[in-house]
Amino acid sequence: MTLTQNTGNSKHTERTEHGVARTSVRTVRRFTRADRASRSRGGQRFLLIGLVLASAYSLFPVWWLIVAATKNRTGLYQSNGLWFSGMHLWDNLRQLFTYEDGIFLRWTANSFLYAGVGSLGGTLIALAAGYGLARFDFPGRKVVFACVVGSFLIPIALLTLPLYLMFSAIGLVDTVWAMLIPCLINPFSVYLAKVYTEATVPFELLEAARLDGAGELRIFFSVVLRMMTTGGATVFLLAFVNTWNAFFLPLTVLRGEENWTLNLGLYNWTGKRLESGVDLTSLVLTGALLSIVPMAVMMVAMRRYWRTGVTLGALK
């Protein structure tokens, strides 16, 4: 009896110990999960705060520009810079479009010409060059790619003076071509096109098209360009924004006001206060507000191409 009781007691003790151990494990797991959830919520709050601060930092200049464009000259200098002081936006727009016989509209048209035509042609050339580097094997291919990578590492400011000397020698200074030719050649766009081609255009598809009797030009325009819509939209948008915001190149190669870009014309207006005593700050701020509208429209218009590209990547 004593042995049986001892055996029963030992088994009961073992069950109790096992039960305590299981309870302890469950408790530890529960606390671990709670700790992980707490850390996750803390990380999400930190990320949300960071995003809010980044958004505020990015939108603050835009808000200041919108408020400043609604003020006249008195309100611009004597009121709070972050809040409205009368609504004079329509008066500023009327003065902006009629000043010097509407030269602002001419500068806007020039900017659209340089950025639109130059970026479209540059995108087509970049896609063709990137496709050639990615899907054709030829002698010196690595050397050419190394030159492309090295070229976009050189700041554009270092190339402006050689471009001016070259255009001056062939009589292209102060012409449309002095802006369009540099826009057509963009090594960084070629690099982006090469990377995107390697990711989206398979060799098997090209071989199938060649077996069907398609020539290289037909393959490029009918097959490759359709598959590179998202990459082409990205290259075009980056080139458009870069050309639209260009300042040093047009300052160097353009002389007459009729060929100036929007940024160069607004910069000239800011200097008239020192040269002739005419304060055009209200017009400059209103023009600067209008100058960001095309880029915002481009971002919205190109968004569907990026969404399509992301969806295709997810399906693959």
Side-chain angles (χ1 to χ4, degrees):
M1 289 290 295
T2 305
L3 181 59
T4 304
Q5 291 178 354
N6 292 335
T7 303
N9 292 334
S10 62
K11 290 181 179 180
H12 178 72
T13 304
E14 289 178 359
R15 293 195 191 99
T16 304
E17 291 177 353
H18 284 302
V20 173
R22 291 196 199 100
T23 305
S24 301
V25 171
R26 292 172 184 170
T27 304
V28 171
R29 288 178 179 175
R30 190 180 300 112
F31 280 117
T32 303
R33 291 172 185 170
D35 184 58
R36 289 177 181 175
S38 177
R39 291 181 180 180
S40 177
R41 288 193 295 268
Q44 291 176 358
R45 293 193 191 98
F46 180 78
L47 180 61
L48 181 60
I49 293 173
L51 291 175
V52 170
L53 292 177
S55 301
Y57 177 79
S58 301
L59 295 176
F60 179 80
V62 179
W63 172 255
W64 178 86
L65 185 60
I66 293 174
V67 172
T70 62
K71 299 180 180 181
N72 57 11
R73 188 182 308 171
T74 303
L76 190 62
Y77 292 110
Q78 298 182 2
S79 64
N80 185 2
L82 298 179
W83 198 246
F84 300 95
S85 176
M87 181 56 65
H88 302 277
L89 178 61
W90 302 116
D91 294 335
N92 293 337
L93 290 174
R94 179 180 55 80
Q95 295 177 18
L96 179 68
F97 293 143
T98 58
Y99 185 76
E100 292 185 352
D101 297 327
I103 191 64
F104 178 82
L105 297 176
R106 178 62 182 269
W107 294 339
T108 304
N110 291 339
S111 294
F112 273 111
L113 174 64
Y114 302 146
V117 177
S119 300
L120 186 62
T123 299
L124 183 61
I125 294 174
L127 293 179
Y131 166 66
L133 287 173
R135 289 296 178 257
F136 288 92
D137 191 9
F138 54 88
R141 173 186 172 188
K142 294 183 179 180
V143 176
V144 173
F145 180 67
C147 292
V148 170
V149 174
S151 298
F152 70 74
L153 296 178
I154 301 176
I156 187 62
L158 296 181
L159 302 176
T160 302
L161 181 58
L163 286 174
Y164 172 78
L165 296 176
M166 182 177 65
F167 291 152
S168 178
I170 60 180
L172 293 181
V173 173
D174 199 26
T175 63
V176 174
W177 295 106
M179 282 294 298
L180 288 181
I181 292 177
C183 295
L184 296 176
I185 310 299
N186 192 334
F188 184 68
S189 298
V190 175
Y191 173 77
L192 289 180
K194 176 183 181 298
V195 173
Y196 195 81
T197 301
E198 292 174 343
T200 58
V201 182
F203 283 104
E204 295 79 8
L205 182 63
L206 301 178
E207 291 298 329
R210 294 188 181 104
L211 290 176
D212 289 339
E216 295 299 336
L217 289 178
R218 184 176 180 182
I219 292 174
F220 175 71
F221 286 102
S222 300
V223 179
V224 176
L225 285 184
R226 294 185 179 182
M227 299 185 65
M228 297 178 64
T229 304
T230 302
T234 303
V235 171
F236 175 79
L237 181 60
L238 293 177
F240 185 90
V241 172
N242 186 43
T243 306
W244 185 271
N245 292 329
F247 177 77
F248 194 55
L249 179 62
L251 179 65
T252 306
V253 300
L254 300 178
R255 297 175 181 174
E257 289 188 4
E258 65 277 3
N259 292 327
W260 283 356
T261 62
L262 192 56
N263 291 336
L264 188 57
L266 294 177
Y267 170 76
N268 180 68
W269 280 357
T270 60
K272 284 192 174 183
R273 183 179 180 182
L274 299 177
E275 295 176 359
S276 58
V278 179
D279 190 0
L280 300 176
T281 306
S282 298
L283 301 187
V284 171
L285 293 175
T286 306
L289 178 62
L290 294 181
S291 68
I292 67 176
V293 174
M295 289 185 287
V297 173
M298 289 293 297
M299 290 290 295
V300 175
M302 293 296 178
R303 184 178 58 182
R304 66 186 186 94
Y305 293 102
W306 294 325
R307 184 186 297 116
T308 303
V310 172
T311 305
L312 289 176
L315 292 176
K316 290 180 181 179

